[in-house]
Amino acid sequence: MPLSGLEIYKNLPKENCKECGLPTCLAFAMKVAAGQAALDACPRLASDAAATLSEASAPPQQLVKIGAGDLAFEIGQETVLYRHEDKFHHPTAIGVALDDTLSADEIEQKCREMAGIAFDRMGKVSSIELLVIRNVSGSTEQFSTAAATAAASGRPIALMAEDSGALRSAAEKLKDTRPLLWALNAKADIDGHISVASDLGLPLCIEGETFEEVSGLVEKARNAGLKELILAPKCATENDALA
């Protein structure tokens, strides 16, 4: 059962140091209770208190950071399913997928086009935040080259492949840009995908045929120590996805 803000506050240093970015420890505790802040944002939290609070205060969704620098974004750590219940604090990012069969010039051109795209809905302007490179060619070298070309645009990258070896090859070169690893048909090579994400410290998206399949693979990844995980079950309709 989630802890209340006051229960969390009892375990904090109560020094009001402001190093977490909030004015008081009580304010920080309330944010943690609402799933809007992580416990590790408190630099003075004692290890025993952290152990006591970590599992009980964990938000319903893990916060996942993709990318590096000014264009990096975070998703997850929401506390509600519907926006009318509370605003989404980390809205879903908009991405565009590019196949690694495109030439470097074609990828660069598409990246320039995407940089100029913006969607205005009721005063909220959204843009393309994520470039997804798909390993369609089957070539590890071609996949890595396409990923590096797309990463030069400065936008966060997702690397999408079935083969964990191809993911590792591309991700090792782009590790500092913190790409998202996207394991297609993850069941076929889940141990390899987990190994890549663990070794490089990168977030992992696990895609499978059903939610039950993905859920089992995610549990295996969690048992291996991975925390930044995204679930991608294939769904025939929007209603299936929501369910």
Side-chain angles (χ1 to χ4, degrees):
M1 185 175 183
L3 296 179
S4 69
L6 289 177
E7 289 172 320
I8 294 171
Y9 175 70
K10 292 176 183 177
N11 290 273
L12 296 181
K14 304 183 186 68
E15 298 175 5
N16 298 333
C17 66
K18 301 181 178 63
E19 292 178 28
C20 64
L22 294 166
T24 65
C25 287
L26 180 58
F28 175 72
M30 294 302 179
K31 285 283 188 180
V32 173
Q36 299 168 12
L39 271 175
D40 57 13
C42 174
R44 303 191 183 191
L45 186 65
S47 57
D48 56 340
T52 300
L53 292 172
S54 59
E55 200 62 35
S57 63
Q61 294 181 344
Q62 174 69 39
L63 185 68
V64 177
K65 181 179 179 180
I66 301 171
D70 295 339
L71 295 179
F73 61 88
E74 296 175 329
I75 58 175
Q77 207 177 69
E78 304 295 352
T79 58
V80 299
L81 185 60
Y82 301 103
R83 192 174 61 179
H84 67 263
E85 297 174 327
D86 184 17
K87 73 174 184 179
F88 291 150
H89 299 276
H90 302 98
T92 301
I94 299 174
V96 171
L98 302 175
D99 294 345
D100 65 352
T101 51
L102 295 173
S103 68
D105 288 343
E106 289 174 318
I107 292 176
E108 290 173 356
Q109 175 60 30
K110 289 186 179 295
C111 287
R112 286 193 293 269
E113 292 172 357
M114 291 173 198
I117 294 176
F119 308 92
D120 188 339
R121 181 176 182 274
M122 300 177 66
K124 176 176 172 52
V125 178
S126 301
S127 60
I128 305 298
E129 297 170 280
L130 180 70
L131 297 178
V132 184
I133 301 300
R134 295 185 294 207
N135 183 210
V136 176
S137 68
S139 166
T140 296
E141 182 179 351
Q142 194 164 333
F143 182 49
S144 297
T145 299
T149 302
S153 70
R155 274 177 167 67
I157 300 294
L159 303 172
M160 182 183 286
E162 290 191 25
D163 177 30
S164 63
L167 275 183
R168 181 182 291 276
S169 178
E172 285 179 339
K173 298 176 182 178
L174 301 176
K175 180 182 177 182
D176 291 342
T177 68
R178 193 170 170 74
L180 168 67
L181 306 179
W182 193 313
L184 291 172
N185 188 26
K187 184 178 180 180
D189 193 12
I190 187 59
D191 290 332
H193 293 308
I194 290 174
S195 176
V196 176
S198 178
D199 292 346
L200 301 181
L202 296 174
L204 176 65
C205 176
I206 297 178
E207 182 172 311
E209 292 298 324
T210 65
F211 177 79
E212 288 72 21
E213 177 184 299
V214 171
S215 180
L217 298 177
V218 166
E219 191 62 28
K220 187 171 186 177
R222 284 175 56 85
N223 290 338
L226 297 183
K227 294 183 178 180
E228 290 188 286
L229 298 166
I230 298 174
L231 284 65
K234 293 181 180 178
C235 299
T237 69
E238 288 81 359
N239 284 341
D240 290 342
L242 188 58

